[in-house]
Amino acid sequence: NRLPLTYGYAVSPHHSGIYPVVDELYIAWKQYLNISVTSTEEYPKSKPARSKRGFTFLGIKVLPRQSTGVYTKNVFLESVPHLKQFALGGSLFQSVLFNEVNIFMTHMPNYSGDRLALYVFDALFQLLNYTTHLRLFSRKPTELARIYQSNNKDEMNGGPIWTNPCLYNRKHIELWPLNRTPCALPNVLIAGPQKTGTTALLKFLLLHPNVCSSKQHNVTYEEVQFYNKNRYYWNGHGLNWYMARFAECVHNQVPSTIIIDKSAGYFDNSFVPFRSHRLLHQTLHLVIIILDEPMRRAYSWYQHLRARNHKTALKYSFHHIISQRNSSNKNVEAIRKRCLLPGIYSKHLKNWLKVYNRNQLYLVDGMELRKKPIPILKSIAARLKIQRTDFEFSHYVRYSERKKFYCIGQKKTNPNLLCMGKGKGRIYPPMTLKAKAFLHHFYSQPNLELKHLLTKLKFKAPAWL
């Protein structure tokens, strides 16, 4: 009806698409209607009212909206006998008391019959006037967004922290588009760190008929990197993109019982434990972490960059890079951090243990994985309760004398072995004595802390420690 949209604010029919987020809605609002502000009652969950938060997605600010206690069906007071209590000291009163910005939505039927919208706000404002010194102001949505963001910068400068629309809130699944697959989420994480054998472990586990992982991606390949990369976690990708990576696992003729997200950059990223726990905590079985000898891991990362013709790695020696603390050369500093910091295992494990309990972590000795992978694979299968009498890892995982590590190949039907690509299992020139001495000193205290932590948690210490 050509109604003017002068406030840059909108909500969608039935509130669907705001949260859980449907990207197309935000894109259309931004491109065609110049919408900059919206609101939702559902993030991260609808109750209690004080828990509601805001976020920003694709440049549109999403403010928390509070419930008035009256809905479309409520015309007469007898249909909502609790309404006076709700306003007079109940959650509606508390919402205004504890939130500096409040957005409410009423419906046309609330202004007919007993005019409940006017009834509830008249009662609320009288109580606030008699019992508090609060001063109330009305502002345009864009101004409310500015005020809310100025007081909640960390919250509003990032996108939403995703939750599971299938399990976290029944209403969330009701708001989900019918053409989406909201339940395609992993229940196992192989978290890394990089250059410890995570790809080999994934390939071996995928031999099991009940195991599936994300489909190949033209940028991240077999990895997803959802929780550690904002460009995937937000910025036009988000939860829909993440679930699409696993859709084939639930659409198979026989759906997989174990779905793995293998992303080796997860382990040492401080955001990942919290983000992954918020989304997966009700369904996640295991977080698998490989603890390889950190000196070996650091050197392997450097050699990996050289093999990929990284200019800085080709220009400088390994010892030069790792020993240049706070280098003015940004490329040297970046490589130094990626070589050294993931190997401070105790620090990163403590970060995971802030949100996951000890029994949800499965630690793998990187040295044992290279030498004797079969017992590790069987142990993981037992933890995941997917043992089968018609399947044995030993029938498919065999040692290659040529590559000097384990590869894939069935003895009876395929005598040839399928090994990892040329980028895996490289043989490097020996590390210099200077580099060894530096790394030994660098990791001596972190390794001692790791040993104490593993002992405290009753984990078996890796053989290299």
Side-chain angles (χ1 to χ4, degrees):
N1 296 319
R2 297 184 179 181
L3 292 174
L5 295 174
T6 58
Y7 294 138
Y9 175 84
V11 293
S12 57
H14 305 292
H15 320 295
S16 59
I18 300 174
Y19 192 83
V21 166
V22 174
D23 310 40
E24 292 87 348
L25 174 66
Y26 285 80
I27 292 169
W29 271 351
K30 195 172 180 69
Q31 289 184 351
Y32 302 111
L33 297 176
N34 199 30
I35 299 300
S36 60
V37 184
T38 185
S39 63
T40 180
E41 295 181 2
E42 301 301 324
Y43 179 74
K45 52 186 178 180
S46 58
K47 296 179 181 179
R50 291 193 300 275
S51 70
K52 298 178 184 181
R53 309 310 305 163
F55 61 91
T56 302
F57 190 73
L58 296 182
I60 294 178
K61 294 177 176 61
V62 184
L63 301 182
R65 188 173 70 245
Q66 310 301 334
S67 173
T68 60
V70 291
Y71 305 97
T72 310
K73 63 183 179 181
N74 301 132
V75 176
F76 299 105
L77 185 58
E78 62 185 22
S79 67
V80 276
H82 66 281
L83 192 58
K84 192 168 185 177
Q85 180 184 1
F86 187 71
L88 299 179
S91 59
L92 183 60
F93 173 76
Q94 293 174 30
S95 294
V96 177
L97 201 61
F98 292 110
N99 295 291
E100 75 275 27
V101 171
N102 289 271
I103 295 178
F104 299 96
M105 176 180 289
T106 55
H107 306 273
M108 288 298 293
N110 305 147
Y111 295 87
S112 64
D114 288 339
R115 305 175 77 186
L116 297 182
L118 300 178
Y119 171 85
V120 70
F121 281 105
D122 183 61
L124 172 65
F125 293 150
Q126 286 190 46
L127 180 64
L128 289 167
N129 186 46
Y130 292 144
T131 62
T132 76
H133 294 287
L134 293 177
R135 298 178 64 192
L136 305 180
F137 299 90
S138 176
R139 294 289 184 268
K140 293 180 180 180
T142 50
E143 178 65 10
L144 290 179
R146 186 194 65 77
I147 295 170
Y148 189 87
Q149 183 169 26
S150 67
N151 294 330
N152 301 273
K153 290 180 180 178
D154 290 343
E155 179 183 316
M156 294 299 290
N157 288 341
I161 305 298
W162 303 110
T163 56
N164 188 340
C166 297
L167 300 173
Y168 199 77
N169 188 324
R170 181 181 61 83
K171 191 174 178 181
H172 285 184
I173 195 65
E174 294 173 353
L175 295 173
W176 202 258
L178 294 175
N179 63 343
R180 298 289 168 87
T181 306
C183 296
L185 288 169
N187 47 28
V188 172
L189 298 180
I190 298 180
Q194 293 165 317
K195 307 309 294 180
T196 59
T198 54
T199 299
L201 179 61
L202 174 67
K203 297 296 185 185
F204 295 157
L205 289 172
L206 285 174
L207 294 169
H208 195 289
N210 295 115
V211 176
C212 181
S213 70
S214 60
K215 68 178 182 180
Q216 196 83 352
H217 190 266
N218 59 354
V219 176
T220 61
Y221 302 103
E222 83 274 2
E223 298 203 343
V224 186
Q225 301 184 33
F226 178 63
Y227 303 104
N228 62 319
K229 301 285 188 182
N230 286 346
R231 64 178 178 271
Y232 302 131
Y233 194 73
W234 299 319
N235 299 353
H237 289 80
L239 185 57
N240 300 330
W241 177 85
Y242 185 56
M243 292 191 297
R245 298 291 301 276
F246 304 97
E248 292 180 4
C249 295
V250 296
H251 289 319
N252 289 338
Q253 190 171 3
V254 180
S256 302
T257 55
I258 298 301
I259 302 174
I260 299 176
D261 173 358
K262 192 282 279 191
S263 298
Y266 285 169
F267 175 65
D268 58 295
N269 185 289
S270 60
F271 297 132
V272 171
F274 175 69
R275 287 177 173 179
S276 63
H277 186 265
R278 281 291 295 271
L279 180 59
L280 305 175
H281 74 278
Q282 291 166 300
T283 57
L284 192 73
H285 299 330
L286 221 53
V287 177
I288 300 174
I289 296 166
I290 302 176
L291 302 180
D292 203 2
E293 206 287 314
M295 292 171 58
R296 183 185 187 281
R297 197 217 69 83
Y299 190 51
S300 181
W301 180 254
Y302 168 76
Q303 292 292 348
H304 169 72
L305 294 180
R306 287 180 62 87
R308 297 181 65 178
N309 294 316
H310 192 289
K311 292 181 179 179
T312 305
L314 292 172
K315 183 177 180 180
Y316 297 104
S317 71
F318 179 56
H319 177 262
H320 175 87
I321 287 176
I322 61 176
S323 61
Q324 297 298 304
R325 181 172 297 181
N326 299 322
S327 173
S328 59
N329 186 322
K330 293 182 180 180
N331 292 328
V332 169
E333 183 67 12
I335 297 176
R336 180 182 185 274
K337 287 181 177 179
R338 291 313 303 158
C339 284
L340 298 178
L341 299 188
I344 306 177
Y345 296 141
S346 58
K347 172 186 175 182
H348 306 307
L349 281 174
K350 288 175 183 177
N351 196 38
W352 284 88
L353 288 163
K354 290 177 182 177
V355 290
Y356 290 100
N357 65 55
R358 182 250 184 237
N359 293 330
Q360 289 177 293
L361 302 186
Y362 187 94
L363 305 186
V364 175
D365 182 341
M367 184 183 297
E368 286 296 306
L369 180 62
R370 288 191 300 277
K371 292 182 176 179
K372 298 178 181 179
I374 303 299
I376 292 173
L377 297 170
K378 293 175 69 174
S379 175
I380 293 173
R383 281 288 297 272
L384 297 175
K385 299 180 180 179
I386 54 171
Q387 308 101 313
R388 292 170 58 134
T389 56
D390 61 344
F391 176 84
E392 285 289 345
F393 283 107
S394 58
H395 294 167
Y396 300 90
V397 180
R398 296 157 52 199
Y399 187 75
S400 168
E401 291 291 346
R402 181 178 62 86
K403 295 284 285 187
K404 302 300 179 186
F405 58 82
Y406 280 80
C407 299
I408 297 170
Q410 193 170 7
K411 290 181 181 179
K412 293 182 179 179
T413 60
N414 183 14
N416 297 318
L417 291 173
L418 176 63
C419 295
M420 303 295 116
K422 63 180 182 179
K424 307 294 181 181
R426 299 187 186 95
I427 299 175
Y428 308 131
M431 194 188 310
T432 65
L433 293 177
K434 284 197 304 182
K436 283 185 179 180
F438 178 90
L439 292 175
H440 180 77
H441 175 75
F442 183 87
Y443 286 121
S444 59
Q445 184 60 33
N447 283 349
L448 185 62
E449 293 174 4
L450 175 64
K451 192 169 185 177
H452 290 327
L453 179 63
L454 297 181
T455 301
K456 179 181 177 181
L457 297 172
K458 298 182 180 179
F459 277 116
K460 180 183 176 182
W464 54 261
L465 187 59

